[in-house]
Amino acid sequence: MTGDVAVLGAGMHPWGKWGRSFVQYGTAAARAALADAGIDWRQVQSVVGADTVRCGYPGYVAGATFAQALGWQGARVTSVYAACASGAQAISTARAQILAGLADVVLVVGADSAPKGFFAPAGGERPDDPDWLRFRLFGATNPAYFGLYARRRMALYGDSPEDFALVKVKNAAAGALNPNARYRTRVSAEDVAASAVVADPLRLLDICATSDGAAALLLSSMDFARRRGAAAPVRIRAVSTVTPTYPKAVLDLPDIATDSAAVVAPSPDSFRASIARAAYEEAGLGPEDLSLAEVYDLSTALELEWYEDIGLCGTGEGAKLVREGATALGGRIPVNVSGGLASFGEAVPAQALAQVCELTWQLRGTAGERQVPGARTGITANQGLFGHGSAIVAIR
């Protein structure tokens, strides 16, 4: 049995601040994915919804929500929650159902109507919740710990605010070409430097916004795809949803301590690096095989770390790649050709799905002005709160 599943359809609702229900966004994205695949909603045998969240906590039962909005037709439903990794968990669940023979065709949907500003913790006293603790003990809002990561890179590797700004310039240039992006204006390094300081050394244009938006995928077995006449569809080859290993030498907020079920030697890799490594191992591929990557640029500095974590360069060499233009459109290994979160903002349940939508369009050769020539293999990478890994390898 092959581990591949076909991506028959990909759809999005444009991201922004629209002031409407997440259900409307998700339904629009789902219908776009169905239309892209040429599949009638009544043929869908399963719906997997990435739960819409409120401040890090599940807010709605997304699978049934979208099945009802599209019109009850008897499909099985599943809802998953993994914060920013929810979309990857939803894809993993859909793939498992397909490979287990429980469904031939599965709709995966994620959507959100995000609050204005940064994500704050929900109310109440929760001393056993690491996300609540980092707000209460450290006052560490998301921008605050983005700034801590940036300071760490500056101290260890000599990165500079000017390096971080180059990431925003690159992603804004790509986002300007993407009709689904919220921000479609090119910016200069001077624009970044002139924007307000939010969490030193990061400025407003270094940090992603919160957004409304949605993304959806229509996945199927390879046999179903062939029966539909899709002889060479984009395929999902690997899905990584690993958790950290003990001990974690560098803490990832909100996890402010490590624990273990056994005494073990330190891992040679960081948590983020282990996410990509697991995907490569399952796919039987490596970073040298990539045509492009979509990574989780919560801040410009964090994108540089992902270059290293997915194996595009050695530790501390991320800034060198962006200075050389290697990760820009037209570069050796383009990263975030969608425009990334810098151009979209965070619509949490949809983020990992949106990354795979971009890989799908790139691997089909239908990405328009932002097309990576000859794209054949791509990886996505992000992580969710509470130790949720997320990486997907797609090929064609």
Side-chain angles (χ1 to χ4, degrees):
M1 176 186 291
T2 176
D4 289 358
V5 296
V7 183
L8 292 188
M12 295 181 71
H13 182 288
W15 293 28
K17 283 290 188 182
W18 308 109
R20 295 192 290 274
S21 165
F22 81 99
V23 181
Q24 291 181 256
Y25 307 142
T27 303
R31 287 176 175 149
L34 290 165
D36 184 44
I39 299 291
D40 186 276
W41 157 237
R42 291 167 292 185
Q43 295 177 268
V44 173
Q45 298 166 339
S46 179
V47 180
V48 183
D51 276 1
T52 294
V53 300
R54 284 295 172 268
C55 308
Y57 299 89
Y60 301 92
V61 183
T65 298
F66 294 123
Q68 182 181 29
L70 290 163
W72 295 126
Q73 45 85 309
R76 69 171 67 225
V77 295
T78 311
S79 297
V80 302
Y81 173 66
C84 295
S86 295
Q89 293 276 358
I91 290 170
S92 181
T93 299
R95 184 178 71 148
Q97 291 179 358
I98 292 167
L99 295 180
L102 298 175
D104 272 333
V105 57
V106 182
L107 177 66
V108 186
V109 190
D112 202 5
S113 298
K116 184 177 181 180
F118 60 82
F119 292 103
E125 300 287 314
R126 292 183 310 282
D128 57 349
D129 172 6
D131 198 30
W132 180 86
L133 285 172
R134 57 109 171 180
F135 280 93
R136 175 59 63 89
L137 298 181
F138 297 158
T141 62
N142 288 6
Y145 74 81
F146 301 161
L148 291 174
Y149 283 131
R151 277 288 170 196
R152 184 175 184 274
R153 290 196 64 85
M154 293 171 71
L156 289 180
Y157 312 130
D159 290 5
S160 69
E162 290 73 25
D163 294 324
F164 305 150
L166 291 177
V167 176
K168 174 65 176 183
V169 171
K170 170 187 73 72
N171 289 349
L177 305 175
N178 193 334
N180 289 308
R182 175 179 178 181
Y183 300 106
R184 300 189 60 196
T185 303
R186 293 173 181 265
V187 302
S188 67
E190 292 75 21
D191 293 329
V192 179
S195 63
V197 173
V198 175
D200 187 65
L202 299 179
R203 296 178 175 271
L204 184 63
L205 294 184
D206 284 303
I207 296 172
C208 74
T210 59
S211 286
D212 298 357
L217 296 166
L218 203 288
L219 307 181
S220 82
S221 66
M222 295 303 297
D223 284 344
F224 183 92
R226 293 186 196 100
R227 293 197 301 269
R228 295 289 302 182
V234 172
R235 291 166 284 159
I236 291 177
R237 172 59 55 86
V239 182
S240 170
T241 57
V242 299
T243 55
T245 56
Y246 173 89
K248 289 172 64 180
V250 177
L251 301 182
D252 291 310
L253 288 174
D255 299 318
I256 56 179
T258 64
D259 205 348
S260 178
V263 177
V264 294
S267 171
D269 296 324
S270 68
F271 171 43
R272 279 190 295 269
S274 75
I275 299 170
R277 186 186 69 242
Y280 289 137
E281 289 175 354
E282 183 183 340
L285 300 168
E288 67 279 1
D289 299 304
L290 296 176
S291 305
L292 73 157
E294 287 285 311
V295 305
Y296 190 42
D297 59 316
L298 289 168
S299 79
T300 51
L302 284 176
E303 178 168 322
L304 299 182
E305 291 203 22
W306 278 114
Y307 295 172
E308 300 159 19
D309 294 328
I310 66 174
L312 302 185
C313 60
T315 300
E317 297 176 354
K320 182 173 182 287
L321 282 190
V322 78
R323 289 184 210 124
E324 294 172 348
T327 56
L329 274 170
R332 174 174 59 83
I333 177 63
V335 178
N336 283 344
V337 292
S338 65
L341 295 180
S343 299
F344 278 77
E346 285 197 271
V348 171
Q351 288 162 193
L353 294 173
Q355 290 179 323
V356 180
C357 285
E358 183 64 25
L359 291 193
T360 299
W361 295 321
Q362 288 287 343
L363 298 181
R364 287 177 177 173
T366 59
E369 293 180 272
R370 63 184 191 282
Q371 180 66 50
V372 175
R376 303 295 295 177
T377 304
I379 192 170
T380 69
N382 69 34
Q383 68 182 101
L385 293 179
F386 317 117
H388 288 115
S390 166
I392 293 168
V393 174
I395 65 170
R396 191 173 190 186

